[in-house]
Every structure is written in structure tokens, then in C-alpha cells.
Amino acid sequence: MHEDDPSGSAEELARRLIGEFHGQSALGKRVPRRLKPDQRPDRFRWSGPGPDVRDPKPFSELCDQLQKKDTWSAKLAEGKIFSLWPMIVGDQIASHAKPLHLTDGLLHVQAESTAWATQLRLMQNQLLEKFSHHMGTRVVRALKITGPKAPSWKKGERHVRGRGPRDTYG
């Protein structure tokens, strides 16, 4: 009886399957046995009860690995500055000044008035110490503190260069 012959009885089919299970084909030929666990390629090995490189990792560990890369650390530090701004500089300063952006260690801060901008410039060294304490010395190396934006007298899309029209009634 051949393997592809569907007319075999259930008894012969059962014998053939049991023989294949024990390593023999229906024709009496030896079928290669399964590989032992230590002979299998890595993708077929069981991990077992101990720790293994293929075990699932906690999400925090994956985030830590991404943070160690240079491209991620700068953006994470910038986000940390914006999220922890009131804690780093204090509530009073945070209510009168806000960070705009961080570029190559230079933090741009905009104060709500020129008086606050002057005060923050005088406190610049103390603020840099606070940043180095909370975030490390390489993140913020200098501050550029500006006051509020001056109002623009340009109305519409066309305007005259230079001083433009001033007091024309006198």
C-alpha cells in the first residue's frame, strides 16, 4: 500500500502514523528523528524558565535604550526643560518668563517685560547652575533672554522702507 492511496483501511493508516511517529515510514525506511534541543537553531529553541535574550522587555528598558542614542537625548532634554520649567526656575519666574527653544546648548527665554528680562539677565549664572543641577552640565550652556516683541507699525503687505511717514501735520 502506498502513502497516497486513499483506499487504505483505518487500521493501516493508524499503523503508518504510529510508525512515522516512532521514526519509521510505512515502507520500513527510517525517518530522520527530530533534533535535540541543543542541536536546534536559535529560532526553534525553548527559552526555559531562566532569563533569555528573546524574553519580552519592559517598555521602560526600551525607552532607556533609545534615550542613550545621541539623536534622542537632545530632544528628550529639550522636552524635559519645557515640562519641568516651573520646578527648575521657580513659580515666580515661570509665571513671568517662558522658554522658547533650545539650540546647541543655547536656551532662548522670553520674558513678559523688559524689567523681567533685565532681572533674568542678572540672575543668569544662578539659572545656569539650576539647569546643570537638574539636567547635567551639557544640556544648557548659555541663556539668551529677550523681552517682549515690540509692536509692528507695518499694516498690510506693502510698506515703505526706512522711517516711513511720521508726524506730517506740523
Side-chain angles (χ1 to χ4, degrees):
M1 175 176 168
H2 295 291
E3 289 182 23
D4 52 318
D5 185 14
S7 64
S9 68
E11 195 173 308
E12 290 177 23
L13 179 64
R15 279 192 193 125
R16 188 181 74 204
L17 290 175
I18 290 172
E20 286 179 6
F21 179 76
H22 288 295
Q24 298 176 354
S25 70
L27 301 175
K29 294 182 182 175
R30 186 93 178 133
V31 176
R33 305 265 318 167
R34 292 185 178 179
L35 294 174
K36 293 180 181 177
D38 58 337
Q39 296 173 340
R40 293 182 190 157
D42 282 340
R43 67 177 191 252
F44 295 119
R45 288 191 184 150
W46 296 97
S47 64
D52 191 13
V53 276
R54 296 169 294 150
D55 288 343
K57 305 277 187 266
F59 186 70
S60 61
E61 188 176 320
L62 293 175
C63 289
D64 290 342
Q65 289 175 358
L66 285 175
Q67 183 181 0
K68 289 177 184 174
K69 293 184 179 182
D70 289 335
T71 56
W72 282 72
S73 60
K75 291 294 182 186
L76 286 173
E78 184 175 348
K80 194 174 180 183
I81 287 173
F82 290 110
S83 65
L84 299 178
W85 177 254
M87 188 184 84
I88 295 172
V89 297
D91 292 331
Q92 186 177 15
I93 294 175
S95 64
H96 296 286
K98 62 180 180 178
L100 298 178
H101 55 87
L102 177 68
T103 310
D104 296 329
L106 178 66
L107 179 63
H108 295 265
V109 178
Q110 184 177 14
E112 72 175 12
S113 67
T114 54
W116 270 102
T118 303
Q119 185 66 26
L120 290 176
R121 284 187 201 110
L122 292 173
M123 297 175 55
Q124 189 168 6
N125 289 335
Q126 295 163 349
L127 292 174
L128 287 172
E129 286 178 14
K130 287 182 179 185
F131 282 117
S132 65
H133 173 70
H134 284 283
M135 311 187 62
T137 56
R138 299 181 323 148
V139 178
V140 179
R141 294 187 302 268
L143 294 173
K144 180 171 180 163
I145 301 167
T146 57
K149 298 285 183 195
S152 173
W153 298 106
K154 298 177 184 177
K155 306 294 184 208
E157 52 183 83
R158 295 191 179 110
H159 59 275
V160 178
R161 289 175 53 183
R163 285 182 47 96
R166 295 285 186 252
D167 184 16
T168 57
Y169 301 105

